[in-house]
């Protein structure tokens, strides 16, 4: 089976992003339901990135975030929330900039500082 590239842009950056998105991922795509039941309702540690698909910083950081997920696999789970699709979830989480990365252990946010792009 193959996946056809149907993107408009034919530049190297767009092709690279498409390949990265097509590969198997160690980053969980979180929905409001999975965020509530897998991140907040367990004591397992989660690293969660809140991002938007139109955010240039988010797009450029995604391959590095994938590598982080692979390196930390088995030690903590790594997830990503699409704030364009799940605006209400990001509003409830008080996300004000993209990307924002937080560390959660159940409903407790265990970060002392959060990372976000300026």
């Amino acid at each position: 089976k193959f996946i056809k590239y149907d993107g408009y842009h034919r530049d190297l950056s767009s092709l690279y992003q498409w390949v990265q998105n097509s590969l198997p991922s160690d980053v969980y795509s979180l929905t409001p339901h999975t965020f509530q039941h897998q991140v907040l309702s367990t004591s397992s540690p989660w690293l969660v990135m809140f991002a938007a698909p139109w955010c240039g910083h988010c797009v450029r950081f995604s391959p590095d975030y994938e590598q982080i997920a692979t390196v930390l696999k088995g030690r903590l789970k790594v997830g990503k929330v699409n704030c364009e699709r799940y605006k209400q979830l990001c509003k409830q989480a008080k996300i004000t900039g993209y990307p924002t990365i937080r560390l959660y252990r159940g409903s407790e946010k265990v970060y002392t500082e959060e990372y976000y792009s300026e």
Side-chain angles (χ1 to χ4, degrees):
K1 182 180 175 197
F2 68 92
I3 301 170
K4 182 180 177 185
Y5 177 69
D6 59 357
Y8 175 77
H9 299 289
R10 301 289 181 185
D11 59 283
L12 182 59
S13 178
S14 298
L15 181 61
Y16 179 77
Q17 188 64 38
W18 174 77
V19 169
Q20 288 294 320
N21 290 336
S22 300
L23 294 173
S25 175
D26 291 321
V27 177
Y28 294 86
S29 291
L30 299 171
T31 66
H33 182 269
T34 56
F35 184 78
Q36 180 65 41
H37 292 90
Q38 292 182 12
V39 177
L40 298 181
S41 297
T42 67
S43 61
S44 300
W46 277 83
L47 188 65
V48 178
M49 178 167 78
F50 297 86
W54 48 260
C55 166
H57 296 296
C58 303
V59 170
R60 284 189 298 279
F61 183 62
S62 287
D64 295 323
Y65 196 65
E66 289 286 342
Q67 288 180 341
I68 291 168
T70 301
V71 169
L72 296 176
K73 190 174 184 176
R75 295 173 57 194
L76 62 82
K77 293 181 180 178
V78 178
K80 185 176 186 179
V81 175
N82 180 338
C83 289
E84 185 68 22
R85 179 178 245 180
Y86 304 114
K87 292 177 183 174
Q88 190 61 32
L89 171 59
C90 296
K91 184 178 178 181
Q92 289 172 340
K94 297 180 174 56
I95 303 302
T96 59
Y98 307 120
T100 296
I101 299 173
R102 291 183 177 165
L103 180 63
Y104 289 88
R105 184 166 317 207
S107 60
E108 172 190 6
K109 290 181 264 186
V110 294
Y111 59 87
T112 55
E113 289 186 40
E114 61 185 32
Y115 168 83
Y116 60 92
S117 179
E118 293 182 13

